[in-house]
Amino acid sequence: MHKVKAALRERLPRQWRYERDAAAIRRLYAPRIAAARAARDLDEINALLASRDHELSLLAEEAEADFTMSLVREARRLRVPVPPRADDGEPVATPPA
């Protein structure tokens, strides 16, 4: 059964996988956050929310990077000029023509 799940996971569109992973992160943190709220432990609530939000932001960054790469691939396929990027993410200055 594990091989079937792995095969299906690889065939899902990437956006679906990111949404599924985000839902899994939320499900993982929900009972712990609820327990901290029941105990009225504000420090624990804030720590759990920060941790959950951090994991979700990492996932969102990965999704955005994949989307950007798919746009770059599509632009190259259509022969649309794509400016190069420096390592720091800033566009590289190109000399005027």
Side-chain angles (χ1 to χ4, degrees):
M1 185 68 173
H2 180 65
K3 290 181 182 180
V4 172
K5 284 184 181 180
L8 286 175
R9 187 177 312 129
E10 290 303 315
R11 293 178 189 261
L12 284 176
R14 284 185 176 149
Q15 185 61 36
W16 289 6
R17 280 189 265 160
Y18 290 126
E19 290 172 14
R20 185 201 62 220
D21 291 347
I25 290 170
R26 288 185 192 98
R27 276 193 311 272
L28 177 70
Y29 278 93
R32 295 165 55 190
I33 293 170
R37 284 185 175 150
R40 297 181 187 258
D41 185 354
L42 294 179
D43 290 336
E44 183 67 15
I45 293 169
N46 288 333
L48 288 169
L49 288 173
S51 180
R52 181 197 65 186
D53 291 346
H54 176 70
E55 287 190 38
L56 289 172
S57 70
L58 292 176
L59 191 62
E61 284 180 25
E62 187 178 340
E64 288 298 318
D66 278 349
F67 181 66
T68 299
M69 288 308 300
S70 70
L71 289 177
V72 169
R73 279 193 300 271
E74 183 72 8
R76 287 185 178 143
R77 185 183 71 78
L78 297 171
R79 296 183 180 177
V80 174
V82 178
R85 305 289 289 182
D87 289 336
D88 60 358
E90 292 297 318
V92 175
T94 56

